[in-house]
Amino acid sequence: GENVEQHPSTLSVQEGDSAVIKCTYSDSASNYFPWYKQELGKRPQLIIDIRSNVGEKKDQRIAVTLNKTAKHFSLHITETQPEDSAVYFCAASQGAQKLVFGQGTRLTINP
Amino acid sequence: GAVVSQHPSRVICKSGTSVKIECRSLDFQATTMFWYRQFPKQSLMLMATSNEGSKATYEQGVEKDKFLINHASLTLSTLTVTSAHPEDSSFYICSAPVVSGNTIYFGEGSWLTVV
């Protein structure tokens, strides 16, 4: 089955700087790669996703890149703000179905 | 947009009792739903796939006799934690894919505390 590895587990950056979180996956059949932001005790919020037919997707300060050959994808947040502080999860699946999540990254933005 | 409703949001039960959690798709039909468990400061771990009109598919290591899943209609899946113990205390959350939109929606999640 699919296995998703996420790094780093914690990340602290200065406000205004960029943050990068990386994930690798094992199943070459996976073709859907979402990123979620989760507040404590709340449901995960989709912040961006990418499908295997594209290599990069951007939405304002957030971007995701995908390297199918290497089986890794990354989340890039630019011009970080205090409200970006949260736990972020990557995930992978075949179609938008059974998601396998990474271990999570606790991002802290220091003012 | 599509909404998935889950409740109760919080439940406290005594050790040895059973508790039922409902996951409902409000404006779309979901032939498949997924149940996850999340312990504090950990990731979401898939427990099982709930299939409308047939048996659920459980992930390795998940006890199917302890975590009973029923998906009797196209809009409702239930997870029953039977003979609950304190180690079952966790955040349980469901998701439902929307085939036409090729996306997934999560319920609000349920905090279970077994005392």
Side-chain angles (χ1 to χ4, degrees):
Chain A
E2 177 64 275
N3 182 53
V4 178
E5 297 287 334
Q6 181 174 347
H7 299 281
S9 57
T10 61
L11 179 61
S12 182
V13 301
Q14 287 298 121
E15 182 179 354
D17 289 349
S18 296
V20 179
I21 303 171
K22 299 182 178 182
C23 288
T24 61
Y25 62 100
S26 62
D27 189 350
S28 56
S30 290
N31 57 11
Y32 177 65
F33 308 93
W35 285 89
Y36 292 91
K37 179 181 181 182
Q38 188 182 30
E39 308 290 340
L40 183 64
K42 302 284 182 66
R43 74 179 109 194
Q45 288 181 288
L46 179 69
I47 57 172
I48 196 167
D49 59 10
I50 191 167
R51 300 177 197 277
S52 58
N53 57 343
V54 297
E56 184 173 357
K57 184 176 178 180
K58 188 174 182 180
D59 182 5
Q60 300 183 334
R61 298 186 297 110
I62 296 172
V64 56
T65 59
L66 171 66
N67 183 325
K68 288 188 294 182
T69 303
K71 296 198 192 73
H72 65 70
F73 56 112
S74 301
L75 176 71
H76 304 253
I77 306 175
T78 59
E79 302 172 20
T80 53
Q81 302 167 3
E83 52 265 37
D84 294 329
S85 294
V87 178
Y88 291 82
F89 291 98
C90 64
S93 74
Q94 293 184 40
Q97 293 284 334
K98 182 169 72 173
L99 294 173
V100 176
F101 285 84
Q103 295 84 349
T105 297
R106 179 170 296 280
L107 175 63
T108 303
I109 308 301
N110 301 308
Chain B
V3 177
V4 174
S5 177
Q6 183 177 343
H7 60 88
S9 57
R10 289 182 180 274
V11 58
I12 300 173
C13 71
K14 291 185 177 180
S15 187
T17 63
S18 296
V19 61
K20 181 185 287 187
I21 301 169
E22 292 188 348
C23 180
R24 197 178 296 271
S25 57
L26 297 185
D27 54 0
F28 67 100
Q29 294 180 335
T31 56
T32 303
M33 292 186 180
F34 301 98
W35 286 96
Y36 295 84
R37 178 170 54 183
Q38 186 177 30
F39 291 112
K41 296 187 178 181
Q42 293 189 25
S43 185
L44 291 85
M45 299 300 295
L46 179 68
M47 298 176 66
T49 301
S50 175
N51 304 299
E52 187 268 334
S54 64
K55 292 182 179 180
T57 305
Y58 291 82
E59 296 299 303
Q60 192 172 10
V62 178
E63 300 174 59
K64 60 182 180 181
D65 294 331
K66 180 170 180 64
F67 299 99
L68 301 180
I69 291 172
N70 185 278
H71 195 149
S73 77
L74 288 170
T75 59
L76 176 64
S77 174
T78 59
L79 168 68
T80 301
V81 183
T82 64
S83 187
H85 289 102
E87 56 265 33
D88 298 324
S89 298
S90 186
F91 186 62
Y92 293 85
I93 191 165
C94 65
S95 72
V98 179
V99 177
S100 60
N102 203 17
T103 190
I104 301 169
Y105 292 94
F106 282 88
E108 299 95 329
S110 300
W111 280 103
L112 170 63
T113 302
V114 184
V115 298

